[in-house]
């Protein structure tokens, strides 16, 4: 029965595309399209909820050794519910946001393909989080990667979108190889692909399994040094960025680490690797986000930083804390991406220096401020609760780790404040003024943002006494006990980050000069993409050099030697024909003539002896 949860959106997507092509390209058409997409996501949400309460499961025997299976754990249940919940609002938003307007706001093209792909993306992610064996996980992993590539390259006619989609796909694809290695190690050690049998792994096969899983999860969750693929993925439409960063593609990596935490914790080197990845991504992502002047890139760098904090929580032995932070971050980040898309529709650019739409869009500004404050870690919003628990979890391992995690939280406050003030502060646009020839936004787009911000407010209940413990009991997770000094330090750094954000925005307002090369390199992941391009260029030049060597030297030598050898061989055959074959034929002819003469002589001699003597005379 549980197969219905992922299969329903996967099978509904092509049907929705077929029906959508027959819709009218007017407001009624995009309303129907948005309702269809949202309805599929809602039904998926309801199916997941019923499956959780009914303890559904499912298995399909592929062969005697391979069984595809799906099931519910506390972690998979949370993901299975959050993914369609967030997707419902994003899909409804996309039906209006991505319709191409002409005169008087009438759309000329409905985003039918986009809505269909987003729906399939939800189904692929549901299959991934419900998988109970590595083969099913690999199938879902491939589906998620294929859907993400198609969504990033959705507007393939424009600019370098195809190149960016290929870049994001290849980086994550490199990490995907790790999951194949992990599956092979699991089968070699246990004779099975089931998660339930992974506890039998030990020795070097366990190390191989852990290395493969870490590689796959780090690449998917955009941890350093894989983080730059997030910028390439921004070539996709805003709804794609919102879903990818909030609840699907990037979330797949942290889900894998949470799901396999028991096995990963048994690997001796996992701790140092996880803490290095997590802290490096949290700090580097925070700095890159602060330096950004592009709204979506700021939010993308923030995603890498926040998932770095989740990695830190998993390493500290509290995967449940990472799970809760995933939920709070999903609502916050989805709302901020939708707000960035609305701002871009009004000014025609994602440049933060052209926005400041607070006077023009007061309602949008307030809703965005709720999400920005949550990202900053301001009490009593839900994201601040999960962030404080991550700092406390780090402190259970070492005090200095709690300090560094608190610094990463301060960076979150810095770039969140900067985003809010530059995107929806007061300044450039008056209360009734908008950029020329820009269409603005619809009530559905605004409503989606408002509901996501409302969800962020609802999550503030985590601060209510007893709610956190009740949640821990419900999900069967362990929460660390908060230490007073860690909480005070974290709040001080958040306040410092907000103050620094105000100072940075004021300084930027008086200095609109172009970025220096050093500033631009740091803003672009400290030059990692340029370094990767150099490495790829060097490899390609080496490959081209080998190809030229093969064409000009090896093949030419073979061709030269081949021709001369063929000529020599043909000449030899000719000489053999002249000297041996023809000579043999001539000798045979002479021998035949001689035999004929001998035979003739013998016949004559016999005939002479047989004649009478009188006749002889």
């Amino acid at each position: 029965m549980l197969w219905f949860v992922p299969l329903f959106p996967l099978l509904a997507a092509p049907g929705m595309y077929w029906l959508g092509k027959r819709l009218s390209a007017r407001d009624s058409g995009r309303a129907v399209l948005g309702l269809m997409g949202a309805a599929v996501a809602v039904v998926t949400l309801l199916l997941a909820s019923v499956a959780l309460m009914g303890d559904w499961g499912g298995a399909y025997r592929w062969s005697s050794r391979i069984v595809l299976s799906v099931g519910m754990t506390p972690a998979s249940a949370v993901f299975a519910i959050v993914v369609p919940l967030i997707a419902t609002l994003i899909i409804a938003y996309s039906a209006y946001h991505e319709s191409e307007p002409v005169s008087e706001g009438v759309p000329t093209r409905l985003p039918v393909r986009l809505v269909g792909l987003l729906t399939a993306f939800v189904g692929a992610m549901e299959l991934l989080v419900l998988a109970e064996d590595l083969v099913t996980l690999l199938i879902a992993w491939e589906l998620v990667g294929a859907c993400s590539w198609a969504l990033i390259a959705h507007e393939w006619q424009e600019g370098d979108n195809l190149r960016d989609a290929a870049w994001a796909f290849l980086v994550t694809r490199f990490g995907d190889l790790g999951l194949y290695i992990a599956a092979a190690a699991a089968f070699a050690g246990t004779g099975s692909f089931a998660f339930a049998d992974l506890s039998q792994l030990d020795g070097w096969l366990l190390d191989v399994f852990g290395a493969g899983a870490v590689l796959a999860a780090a690449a998917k969750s955009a941890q350093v040094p894989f983080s730059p693929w997030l910028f390439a993925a921004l070539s996709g439409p805003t709804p794609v960025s919102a879903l990818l960063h909030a609840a699907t593609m990037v979330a797949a990596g942290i889900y894998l680490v949470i799901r396999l935490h028991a096995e990963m914790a048994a690997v001796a080197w996992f701790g140092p690797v996880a803490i290095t990845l997590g802290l490096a991504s949290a700090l580097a992502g925070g700095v890159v986000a602060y330096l950004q002047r592009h709204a979506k890139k700021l939010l993308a760098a923030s995603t890498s930083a926040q998932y770095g904090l989740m990695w830190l929580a998993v390493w500290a032995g509290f995967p449940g804390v990472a799970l809760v932070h995933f939920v709070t971050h999903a609502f916050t980040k989805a709302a901020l991406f939708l707000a960035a898309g609305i701002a871009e529709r009004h000014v025609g650019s994602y440049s933060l220096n052209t926005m400041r739409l607070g006077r023009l869009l007061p309602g949008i500004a307030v809703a965005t401020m709720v999400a920005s404050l949550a990202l900053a870690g301001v009490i009593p919003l839900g994201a601040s609760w999960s962030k404080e628990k991550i700092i406390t979890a780090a402190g259970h391992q070492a005090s200095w780790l709690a300090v560094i995690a608190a610094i990463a939280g301060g960076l979150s406050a810095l770039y969140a404040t900067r985003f809010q003030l530059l995107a929806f502060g007061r300044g450039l646009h008056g209360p009734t003024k908008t950029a020329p020839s820009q269409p603005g936004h619809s009530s559905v787009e605004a409503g989606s943002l408002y509901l996501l911000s409302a969800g962020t407010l609802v999550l503030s209940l985590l601060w209510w006494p007893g709610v956190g413990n009740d949640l821990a009991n419900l999900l069967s997770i362990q929460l660390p006990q908060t230490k007073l000094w860690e909480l005070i330090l974290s709040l001080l750094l958040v306040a410092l980050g907000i103050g620094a954000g105000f100072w940075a925005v004021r300084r930027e307002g008086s200095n609109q000069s172009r970025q220096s090369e050093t500033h631009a390199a740091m803003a672009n992941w400290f030059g990692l993409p340029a370094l990767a391009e150099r490495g790829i260029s060097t490899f390609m030049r080496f490959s081209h050099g080998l190809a030229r060597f093969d064409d000009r030297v090896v093949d030419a030598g073979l061709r030269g030697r081949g021709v001369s050898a063929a000529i020599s061989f043909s000449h030899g055959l000719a000489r053999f024909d002249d000297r041996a074959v023809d000579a043999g034929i001539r000798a045979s002819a002479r021998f035949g003539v001689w035999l004929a003469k001998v035979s003739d002589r013998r016949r004559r001699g016999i005939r002479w002896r047989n004649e009478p003597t009188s006749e002889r005379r």
Side-chain angles (χ1 to χ4, degrees):
M1 290 292 289
L2 192 56
W3 291 108
F4 287 130
V5 177
L7 288 178
F8 177 72
L10 284 171
L11 296 177
M16 187 186 310
Y17 177 80
W18 181 81
L19 290 173
K21 284 295 186 181
R22 286 152 179 78
L23 293 176
S24 169
R26 293 182 176 273
D27 283 347
S28 59
R30 59 180 180 177
V32 173
L33 179 63
L35 283 173
M36 283 196 305
V40 171
V42 169
V43 172
T44 304
L45 172 62
L46 294 176
L47 284 172
S49 302
V50 173
L52 177 61
M53 293 184 291
D55 195 23
W56 288 4
Y60 171 75
R61 181 169 294 279
W62 192 338
S63 69
S64 59
R65 305 292 295 273
I66 300 177
V67 178
L68 305 182
S69 57
V70 289
M72 281 277 194
T73 65
S76 61
V78 170
F79 274 83
I81 290 173
V82 171
V83 169
L85 181 60
I86 299 293
T88 300
L89 301 174
I90 293 176
I91 290 174
Y93 174 97
S94 66
Y96 283 80
H97 188 76
E98 295 303 319
S99 295
E100 290 187 354
V102 290
S103 60
E104 300 180 0
V106 178
T108 59
R109 179 179 62 88
L110 294 177
V112 177
R113 180 161 50 92
L114 177 64
V115 172
L117 285 171
L118 288 172
T119 304
F121 203 13
V122 172
M125 190 65 188
E126 291 289 274
L127 181 61
L128 189 150
V129 301
L130 295 175
E132 284 291 302
D133 65 276
L134 288 164
V135 176
T136 305
L137 180 68
L138 277 168
I139 294 172
W141 205 267
E142 295 289 354
L143 286 173
V144 167
C147 288
S148 65
W149 175 84
L151 286 167
I152 295 169
H154 174 69
E155 298 171 348
W156 56 270
Q157 306 93 335
E158 298 182 9
D160 297 323
N161 287 5
L162 282 176
R163 186 198 63 182
D164 291 341
W167 167 260
F169 180 78
L170 289 174
V171 172
T172 55
R173 188 65 179 165
F174 174 77
D176 294 348
L177 296 176
L179 197 57
Y180 284 91
I181 294 172
F187 189 79
T190 67
S192 168
F193 291 105
F195 288 160
D197 296 329
L198 292 178
S199 58
Q200 302 174 22
L201 272 179
D202 58 7
W204 67 273
L205 283 174
L206 179 60
D207 290 327
V208 172
F209 174 84
V214 166
L215 176 61
K220 268 290 196 286
S221 59
Q223 298 300 283
V224 173
F226 303 105
S227 305
W229 76 259
L230 285 177
F231 283 4
L234 296 178
S235 293
T238 297
V240 173
S241 301
L243 189 59
L244 186 148
H245 287 257
T248 50
M249 181 76 163
V250 188
I254 196 62
Y255 170 76
L256 183 63
V257 176
I258 293 172
R259 183 67 178 81
L260 301 178
H261 172 256
E263 291 74 26
M264 304 295 285
V267 180
W269 50 261
F270 173 70
V273 170
I275 189 175
T276 302
L277 289 173
L279 288 180
S281 300
L283 296 175
V287 173
V288 171
Y290 164 69
L291 295 174
Q292 283 302 322
R293 296 182 179 181
H294 187 284
K296 285 175 67 174
K297 287 185 177 181
L298 185 153
L299 298 175
S302 165
T303 298
S304 179
Q306 296 300 315
Y307 276 89
L309 291 175
M310 295 181 211
W311 272 76
L312 181 60
V314 174
W315 166 80
F318 295 93
V321 173
L323 182 63
V324 177
H325 195 61
F326 157 75
V327 176
T328 59
H329 176 264
F331 280 89
T332 300
K333 191 54 60 69
L336 291 174
F337 266 106
L338 298 193
I342 291 173
E344 186 272 338
R345 281 292 185 263
H346 281 270
V347 300
S349 170
Y350 284 106
S351 174
L352 289 168
N353 292 329
T354 64
M355 294 181 179
R356 305 208 184 194
L357 297 167
R359 293 182 184 273
L360 177 66
L361 305 172
I364 299 296
V366 171
T368 306
M369 184 174 65
V370 172
S372 296
L373 291 174
L375 184 62
V378 175
I379 293 175
L381 295 168
S384 64
W385 186 87
S386 56
K387 187 207 69 175
E388 298 302 335
K389 289 299 180 183
I390 290 175
I391 294 173
T392 303
H396 272 248
Q397 299 297 323
S399 297
W400 63 270
L401 285 176
V403 173
I404 296 178
I407 292 173
L411 286 173
S412 300
L414 172 59
Y415 60 68
T417 302
R418 184 170 170 272
F419 174 84
Q420 178 66 30
L421 294 177
L422 289 176
F424 294 100
R426 296 173 179 266
L428 297 181
H429 303 282
T432 60
K433 184 179 177 183
T434 185
S437 71
Q438 296 301 325
H441 67 278
S442 66
S443 59
V444 174
E445 295 168 72
S448 299
L449 171 60
Y450 295 154
L451 289 173
L452 287 169
S453 296
T456 300
L457 288 174
V458 170
L459 290 171
S460 301
L461 291 173
L462 289 169
W463 283 100
W464 194 263
V467 173
N469 292 330
D470 291 340
L471 178 66
N473 294 331
L474 178 65
L475 298 177
S476 302
I477 61 176
Q478 182 183 3
L479 296 178
Q481 294 298 317
T482 302
K483 298 177 182 178
L484 183 59
W485 74 267
E486 293 170 346
L487 179 60
I488 293 174
L489 175 63
S490 176
L491 295 179
L492 287 175
L493 288 173
V494 167
L496 181 61
I498 293 174
F502 274 93
W503 173 81
V505 170
R506 180 173 297 181
R507 183 172 176 269
E508 288 183 43
S510 60
N511 181 17
Q512 296 292 339
S513 59
R514 296 180 61 185
Q515 290 180 328
S516 64
E517 292 185 4
T518 303
H519 186 285
M522 292 180 66
N524 195 21
W525 291 104
F526 301 93
L528 275 177
L531 184 63
E533 288 184 6
R534 289 179 184 175
I536 292 173
S537 299
T538 301
F539 178 78
M540 293 303 294
R541 284 197 297 269
F542 178 71
S543 301
H544 291 159
L546 287 178
R548 288 193 295 270
F549 177 80
D550 180 74
D551 291 339
R552 298 177 181 179
V553 179
V554 180
D555 287 353
L558 290 175
R559 287 193 298 269
R561 292 177 183 177
V563 171
S564 60
I567 294 174
S568 300
F569 183 67
S570 61
H571 289 167
L573 286 177
R575 287 193 296 270
F576 178 78
D577 179 73
D578 292 339
R579 299 177 182 178
V581 179
D582 290 352
I585 292 174
R586 287 192 295 271
S588 298
R590 287 195 295 271
F591 181 69
V593 171
W594 178 77
L595 284 177
K597 291 180 178 178
V598 170
S599 176
D600 183 61
R601 290 174 183 172
R602 290 186 64 187
R603 285 196 302 272
R604 288 178 182 178
I606 293 171
R607 194 169 50 248
W608 182 76
R609 284 195 298 270
N610 292 333
E611 289 178 355
T613 305
S614 59
E615 290 183 3
R616 292 180 194 171
R617 293 176 180 173

